[in-house]
Every structure is written in structure tokens, then in C-alpha cells.
Amino acid sequence: MITMAKIEWYDEFVNLKYKPAKDDLIALFYFEPAQGMNVKEVVGRIASESSTGTWTTLFKMPPRMKKLKAIAYEIDGNYVKIAYPYELWESGNMAQLYSGIAGNIFGMKAVKNLRLIDVQYPLKYLKNFRGPLSGMEGIRKRMGIYDRPLLGAVPKPKDGFSALEHAQVGYETWMGGFDFVKDDENLSSQSFNKFEDRVKLLAKYRDKAEKETGAKKSAFINITADIKTMEKRAKLVKNNGFDYVMLDVVVIGNAGMQTMMDVCHDLDLETHGHRAMHSAFTRNMKHGISMQFLAKTMRILGVSQIHSGTGVGKLTGSVNEIKSISNILREKKTPEMKKFNLEQDWGSMKTAFPVSSGGLHPGLVPDVMKIYGNDMNLLVSGGIHGHPRGTRAGAMATVQAVEAFNEGITLQEKAKTNKELAEALKKWGVMKTK
Ligand code: CAP
Ligand code: MG
């Protein structure tokens, strides 16, 4: 009879008695075993493949390497906590962290589904990253806005305007009482709207709007491109007197974002993070990477704000998910939210604004503000440009809806003395968009 030697060692990556060390990184995963696999085999494989292991025992395994193993130490139904030793991670290298904690494991045949929900970082790890430039307080100070959400809009249709048309729509947006004009995620420097022309014209119309309103006006201009081009664009934006740029954070990737955060911070530029493509890995609640974890990554890397959903608009994202993201971005100490996020002490790392956008119009403002309160960036785009009397009236209607919420009165009550809001409600009512 042939007796086989032990070939698997996944069990060595599971220890339900393990107490995480102070500087361990703790990851929370949701998992579903593939057919024929038991829980211990699966969580052992997740810990192994994301730290030091391979599929078989090895001829050479120096004992000192034992302490680099990740340990699955807490299993609760389909949820597992895994502790990763601090030494496993390179200081200040977010790309490397993802290669381990969010790398090969998603493709393992042993799991039917696997979702990285959150990672709790020790302060020692966070200290290697810059975090946001000024935080929510610093941005409110820059803008001189203290008692309401920051308001912005994307010219729509999202692509097609010339630089001049874009800047003119922007001017109308600012004149209606909005603070920011935002580029759309797929607008960069196409033949019909060149980046340099857009920046210069937006600067001209911004100055005009500031002069006429006496308020500070700003823009989130999309610099997304290869790194060298982004650097040039950031400088151009800065030289035209803007203090913000916009980046499509997922398509740029962690390494690109880290480089660009250095560039932008050195130029004293705030950064608006658009999350285009995130749903490719955040939408399936059983598999992929959670939106909370993406938001956390971006606060660590240093964005000033990132899209976080509406709960009532045209795109997916639950109210609980929004609450978890908001706590991750806005708190100095994020409390644990079971199945959504772990507790996180942020030390001295600054806060970031959540951004609510997608299918919003004045009638939905109270619903969104009920979820977020005032500490957010509220973007209403189609919902202002589609107003029966155009962009400026649409922005005014949105400002009136925000005022109504903060005055504690209904939109209908406010609309009695505010005709722009009345007109918006006549067109859209309080319908939820799709
Ligand atoms: C909003 C938007 C944003 C989405 C992104 C758009 O426009 O500009 O890209 O909000 O989604 O193109 O849809 P509307 P999210 O206000 O006209 O819908 O914020 O969920 O990442
Ligand atoms: Mg968009």
C-alpha cells in the first residue's frame, strides 16, 4: 500500500485561538466554499495564498518564515477575520498591499465567492501615507461654506460640448448658486473640447462669476491620463488659479494615484475622486472588493473626496453601504459596522468628503440629506440642466431644496415662495431615478 506524505499545509494558516498582535493588519472577508470544500480548508487557503503559502508543503521552509504567515482566527458563518503580520507589507506601497490581500485569492477554485470587505490598519502602517491634504474642515475654510453641503454639477450632455460651451454652462451653474463645475469621467482632452482650452475658458468664466456673485467658485477638472500628462495637466490647472483637480481613481490605479497624490499635494491641489468602473468589482455583494474598502484606500492615499452613492438615484448602492463609507471617510475613529466595516483609528490622518451623485434632482435632495447630513459634496447634473428654464434656474431650485431641508420645512412649503423649485417639482416631483 502506498501512503502519501502530507502535501497540503493550509491547516497551518488557521488558528482559532490566535490573538492578533498590535501591529497586525486585520482583513474581513465574506466567503462561500466551492462544492466539496470545508470551511477550514477554504479560510486556510485564503490566508495562505494572500501571505506566504503555495498549494503544497515545501522542501525548504526556514522556521523564521513561520511568523510571516497570515492566520485565519475568527470564523462567523460566512465571514472570516484574517490577521496579517506587519512585516509582510512594504511601507507606503498600496499596490503591493492589493497584490497580497486582494490578489490571487479571488480566482481560487476552492472558493465559490469571495469578497474583501475591509481591512483594519495599525497606525504604524497608516503613517506611511499622506492622507487628505486639508480634510473636510480645511476645504470648508477654503470655500467659506460652513452650514450646507458643497454643491456641484457636471455639464450635460457629458461629452460633446466645445470648451466654450462647457465653460458657459459652467458659468450658468455657478450663477445659480453652485460652488463647483465638474468634468464628466470620460471627458479629458478630445478633439471637440481640448483640455487646455477648457481650463482657460473655465478660469475666465469663474472669475466673472466670482465677481458677479462675490462668492468663491471652483471646479473639478478631470486630469485623468498617463502619469506624465496628468502631472502637466495638474500644473496647468494650478496656474489657472484652481485649487482642485479630478481623477478617475479606479482606472488610474493605486500606484498612479499614489504618485499623483504626491504631485497634487505638493501643488496644494485638492482632489476629487471619481469612481468610474468600481461596480465591476463592488456590485456583486458576494464577490470582489467592497466600495467601503475602495473609499478607505483613497482616504489613505489622499483624495479630498470620493463618490459614495445616493441611495435614491440612478446607480446601485444601499443606504447601509453609504453609512459605512461616510463613517470611513468622515470620522477620526470609524466605529465597527457589522458585516460592513471594521473599527478604524485614523490617528492624525485628515478626513475626506463623501460625494453623492447620479440621477439626482431637487425633489430627491431631502432624501439624500437625510442619509448624509450637510457634510457631503452634492452633485446634481441632469437634475439642473433639465430644469424647464435651464441650468441657472435648476441650480437655484437645488439650492432652495437644500435650504428647505435645513429650515426643517417641506419642499412643497418652500416651493410656495420659490418658483424655480416649484417648476422643478412640477417636472420631476420626488421620483426616484433609474
Ligand atoms: C452624474 C454623473 C456621475 C455619476 C457617477 C453621471 O450625473 O456625472 O458620473 O454620478 O456615479 O454621469 O451619471 P447625473 P457615482 O447627475 O446627471 O446623473 O457617483 O455613483 O459613482
Ligand atoms: Mg459622470
Side-chain angles (χ1 to χ4, degrees), residues 156 158 182 184-185 274:
K156 299 279 175 177
K158 46 171 132 195
K182 176 186 158 303
D184 231 316
E185 65 283 353
H274 195 286

Side-chain angles (χ1 to χ4, degrees), residues 111-122:
V111 294
K112 184 170 162 214
N113 281 303
L114 177 67
R115 184 164 172 86
L116 171 58
I117 299 175
D118 193 16
V119 177
Q120 182 183 72
Y121 298 97

Side-chain angles (χ1 to χ4, degrees), residues 154 156 158 182 184-185 274-276 278 307-310 314-316 355-360 379-383:
V154 185
K156 299 279 175 177
K158 46 171 132 195
K182 176 186 158 303
D184 231 316
E185 65 283 353
H274 195 286
R275 58 179 179 168
H278 76 93
H307 286 240
S308 48
T310 62
K314 69 182 185 186
L315 298 157
T316 57
V355 178
S356 190
S357 176
L360 296 180
L379 304 182
V380 183
S381 303

Side-chain angles (χ1 to χ4, degrees), residues 107-135:
M108 293 193 308
K109 286 181 181 165
V111 294
K112 184 170 162 214
N113 281 303
L114 177 67
R115 184 164 172 86
L116 171 58
I117 299 175
D118 193 16
V119 177
Q120 182 183 72
Y121 298 97
L123 287 178
K124 191 173 165 189
Y125 186 82
L126 289 186
K127 282 192 181 124
N128 303 311
F129 296 92
R130 296 177 84 143
L133 180 61
S134 325

Side-chain angles (χ1 to χ4, degrees), residues 294-315:
L294 175 65
K296 188 177 219 176
T297 304
M298 291 304 150
R299 176 173 174 185
I300 293 170
L301 292 182
V303 297
S304 311
Q305 55 208 48
I306 179 164
H307 286 240
S308 48
T310 62
V312 290
K314 69 182 185 186
L315 298 157

